[in-house]
Amino acid sequence: MALPNDVDVLVVGAGFSGLYMLHKLRGLGLSAVALEKGDGVGGTWYWNRYPGARCDVESPYYSYSFDADLEQEWEWTERYPAQPELLKYINHVADRFELRKDIFLETTAVSAVFDESENLWTVTSIGPEGGHVTRARYCIMATGCLSSARMPNIPGLESFQGQLLHTGMWPHEEIDFTGQRVGVIGTGSSGIQAIPVIAEQAQNLQVFQRTPNFSVPAFNGPIDQQWYREIKENYPELRERSRHTTMGIPFQRRDQAAIDISEEEREQVFEEHWPKGGFRISSCFNDLMRNQESNDSLASFVRNKIDQMVHDPKIAQLLKPYDHPVTGKRICVDTNYYATYNRDNVELIDVKSDPIQEITAHGIQTEDHFFELDTIVVATGFDAMTGAMLHMDIRGRGGASLREHWEAGARTYLGLAVAGFPNMFTIAGPGSPSVLSNMLTSIEQHVEWISDHLVHLREGGYTSSEAATVAEDEWVDHVRELSEKTLFPSANSWYLGANVPGKPRVFMPYIGGVGRYRAHCTDIASRDYEGFVLK
Ligand code: NA7
């Protein structure tokens, strides 16, 4: 089927947000299409197919809640879902709800221009058939938060004659590292997940670490059937609870401040939470991101664990994070990460003290050493939260460009709309909880809010909805002020754009929690969409 020329709604992206948005729009009787750059659906889980790729939210919660039959019939096999299973799930959803007929794959939206005279978006895309222009009343950006992979700016990268792979753009075919000399650059979540798996195959693996990150074990395994049965029996209540928590997961942070108890007592609480796996450890006190001393206790607890897991004290020392509060960067959730450094075929290269100078045809040259390699795996992350949208040329009223509007940092109203860009909505946009939460909970809330808003516009006979500049300004200030009450801004994280040279340092996600944010959005809607100019 050919991409239509006119639709009610054009959705950019066919990951978790794009698919649910499409499904909801159908339910509203609106004509809608989704454009997707990849040759399959899945977004993040389509691109990030590197070995060990796994979600850090438990399977039963990292799933859609909008359809009870889907929830009951789908069977997750592991506590934390691996990428192949997530991709299978999202493909199942695309088939089950017959979404594919409105999804245009291998189709990249390159520009979106608002036509003020008709209140329509003109979206230009490039697909298998060449260029196409689609006109749509509404344009919804379901472009993902971690979808714009970033190659490091290392001299000579393009001259490498071996295999060069980026975790965020992993090839579709199986990569066999057997017998290879492999180098991994980057020790964020992607590197930390990939390293233990590659180490098992490769002849030898050299990890080029610039800054160590905090990582906690997932204690992943086959899903506990009794636990899963109980979840399935109580899904409606658990989902509803999730929607009102901080992170969008149905367990609340323990309501106690670490600072109120002794160091010994804190230690005991950490020990109790450690074996629970993953994020549980960061939810064990309510002041870990507000109080430096509390955070320091958890940081030193994790550092002690690193000492216990890594046999060589010098390597253990190098692996200990020192420059940011624990959870100031999204904490990594791993399987055997630290223990991997006990293997004879794995070497940790500290590129802080011995910086990478260049990549040559045959390997990596640091200041002091040359490392001959067959494969380089680049795990250097993303231009997060804004990268995918800013890759497009988006122009709102008066031809104003989004790149200029966001020149000093992303500006949105509620992470849902942008002043000067009428009828454009963002799912999990900057200024919303997004990456600080279970993405699925946040995505569903945004999709449902946007759907309700479109119904309101239709019923009110409006053809244009736009965030007011004053509402956007106040929201941007509010998001910043909330972040300044925490330790988050002190970490050089991608939350702040600190990983991309030249990107303005602005804390992008809303830190007040999923529940509070949701209540606020609902309140705005109930007050006739306060802060939006409807025409
Ligand atoms: P991250 O978390 O941004 O990590 C990127 C890593 O790459 C990090 O260790 C960086 O070190 C390192 N890096 C980046 N550029 C370079 C260069 N030029 N040389 C050496 N090392 C470099 O990305 P991920 O893909 O791991 O994870 C992103 C999110 O996906 C994650 O938080 C989860 O939510 C899922 P640096 O810290 O900059 O010194």
Side-chain angles (χ1 to χ4, degrees):
M1 199 185 73
L3 186 53
N5 299 331
D6 295 280
V7 285
D8 294 324
V9 190
L10 185 139
V11 180
V12 184
F16 272 103
S17 3
L19 289 195
Y20 183 36
M21 193 73 245
L22 204 51
H23 176 66
K24 281 297 275 187
L25 293 168
R26 289 244 191 99
L28 300 181
L30 293 167
S31 63
V33 292
L35 309 185
E36 169 56 53
K37 184 162 125 191
D39 72 359
V41 300
T44 294
W45 302 108
Y46 169 91
W47 297 103
N48 287 270
R49 48 181 84 212
Y50 59 85
R54 189 181 293 285
C55 185
D56 53 11
V57 173
E58 289 153 319
S59 311
Y61 307 135
Y62 195 82
S63 57
Y64 290 118
S65 74
F66 70 82
D67 188 276
D69 291 340
L70 169 67
E71 230 171 32
Q72 292 300 326
E73 287 164 25
W74 183 263
E75 293 290 339
W76 293 106
T77 64
E78 288 184 280
R79 180 179 173 192
Y80 292 93
Q83 177 272 337
E85 193 165 14
L86 281 161
L87 198 57
K88 203 168 138 200
Y89 174 74
I90 197 160
N91 273 285
H92 169 77
V93 170
D95 291 331
R96 186 178 183 116
F97 297 99
E98 296 176 12
L99 299 172
R100 293 192 196 275
K101 57 179 183 279
D102 293 322
I103 299 173
F104 292 83
L105 300 172
E106 294 179 86
T107 303
T108 305
V110 289
S111 73
V113 178
F114 187 65
D115 174 349
E116 270 177 88
S117 61
E118 298 200 60
N119 280 339
L120 291 175
W121 280 94
T122 302
V123 179
T124 304
S125 57
I126 300 190
E129 311 293 321
H132 193 89
V133 174
T134 311
R135 285 154 62 83
R137 169 76 66 216
Y138 303 105
C139 191
I140 299 178
M141 298 298 174
T143 41
C145 293
L146 295 161
S147 45
S148 182
R150 214 178 60 82
M151 272 294 182
N153 194 8
I154 302 174
L157 189 69
E158 62 296 333
S159 66
F160 183 60
Q161 283 177 9
Q163 181 173 230
L164 180 68
L165 304 167
H166 191 297
T167 47
M169 295 180 278
W170 202 260
H172 288 214
E173 61 276 10
E174 187 85 6
I175 304 288
D176 185 4
F177 294 103
T178 310
Q180 291 199 12
R181 297 159 300 178
V182 182
V184 173
I185 302 176
T187 51
S189 196
S190 306
I192 282 175
Q193 288 188 333
I195 286 161
V197 185
I198 298 174
E200 281 177 11
Q201 274 185 16
Q203 179 189 310
N204 61 299
L205 171 63
Q206 277 143 349
V207 177
F208 296 82
Q209 173 190 268
R210 193 163 65 181
T211 317
N213 271 297
F214 287 98
S215 189
V216 295
F219 295 111
N220 184 43
I223 202 160
D224 178 324
Q225 286 303 332
Q226 194 188 330
W227 176 69
Y228 192 21
R229 214 173 24 252
E230 281 166 21
I231 290 176
K232 282 198 167 182
E233 280 164 14
N234 295 295
Y235 249 141
E237 190 262 322
L238 288 169
R239 299 292 202 181
E240 187 49 24
R241 204 191 308 163
S242 304
R243 295 180 187 118
H244 304 282
T245 57
T246 305
M247 282 189 69
I249 305 169
F251 48 85
Q252 258 308 12
R253 227 169 22 200
R254 261 180 85 246
D255 197 18
Q256 182 181 41
I259 196 73
D260 288 344
I261 58 174
S262 69
E263 190 65 49
E264 292 72 39
E265 286 169 304
R266 288 176 209 165
E267 187 82 9
Q268 201 183 328
V269 174
F270 294 143
E271 279 296 358
E272 281 162 19
H273 281 74
W274 182 262
K276 295 181 181 177
F279 293 149
R280 297 292 202 287
I281 190 85
S282 55
S283 311
C284 67
F285 289 112
N286 62 16
D287 63 342
L288 292 171
M289 280 314 283
R290 283 188 286 114
N291 185 293
Q292 188 66 53
E293 186 187 325
S294 301
N295 194 284
D296 288 345
S297 314
L298 177 56
S300 61
F301 175 83
V302 179
R303 286 189 204 109
N304 289 340
K305 287 288 182 194
I306 297 174
D307 275 331
Q308 289 165 23
M309 289 183 279
V310 180
H311 300 160
D312 181 335
K314 282 202 208 100
I315 304 287
Q317 194 55 33
L318 282 177
L319 288 166
K320 288 183 201 169
Y322 55 86
D323 72 334
H324 62 278
V326 56
T327 83
K329 294 181 179 179
R330 188 165 170 126
I331 201 163
C332 306
V333 178
D334 72 82
T335 298
N336 293 333
Y337 177 60
Y338 291 113
T340 296
Y341 293 95
N342 298 330
R343 297 175 65 107
D344 292 338
N345 68 334
V346 177
E347 191 184 354
L348 182 65
I349 320 293
D350 173 25
V351 297
K352 196 71 125 202
S353 64
D354 183 15
I356 297 177
Q357 277 192 330
E358 63 169 332
I359 293 180
T360 69
H362 302 292
I364 295 179
Q365 176 71 56
T366 63
E367 228 164 71
D368 300 333
H369 298 94
F370 179 69
F371 301 90
E372 199 165 338
L373 298 166
D374 302 305
T375 295
I376 298 176
V377 173
V378 173
T380 49
F382 303 87
D383 183 355
M385 307 194 70
T386 54
M389 277 180 75
L390 293 180
H391 263 128
M392 292 175 67
D393 185 14
I394 302 178
R395 292 186 181 265
R397 259 190 309 108
S401 102
L402 187 68
R403 284 181 199 141
E404 276 170 32
H405 190 64
W406 284 5
E407 203 166 18
R411 305 184 68 74
T412 70
Y413 180 39
L414 305 173
L416 274 162
V418 184
F421 297 79
N423 293 355
M424 180 181 90
F425 301 99
T426 50
I427 301 178
S432 75
S434 64
V435 291
L436 293 179
S437 69
N438 174 3
M439 284 299 291
L440 264 286
T441 312
S442 288
I443 285 170
E444 287 196 328
Q445 185 251 334
H446 264 193
V447 168
E448 288 160 14
W449 191 96
I450 293 169
S451 304
D452 290 347
H453 187 52
L454 297 187
V455 170
H456 180 83
L457 297 176
R458 182 166 64 189
E459 288 176 353
Y462 302 110
T463 56
S464 164
S465 160
E466 180 185 349
T469 300
V470 61
E472 182 178 275
D473 290 348
E474 282 171 12
W475 186 252
V476 169
D477 288 346
H478 177 60
V479 170
R480 196 198 58 248
E481 280 159 14
L482 286 181
S483 77
E484 283 169 354
K485 289 184 190 149
T486 72
L487 304 175
F488 276 99
S490 65
N492 286 324
S493 67
W494 54 258
Y495 296 147
L496 275 162
N499 63 326
V500 180
K503 190 165 173 172
R505 198 180 165 98
V506 173
F507 193 80
M508 292 181 278
Y510 169 84
I511 222 162
V514 160
R516 187 168 154 196
Y517 172 79
R518 179 187 198 86
H520 187 73
C521 291
T522 307
D523 188 46
I524 295 286
S526 73
R527 282 187 280 124
D528 248 347
Y529 293 94
E530 192 178 72
F532 286 87
V533 180
L534 310 184
K535 286 185 188 151

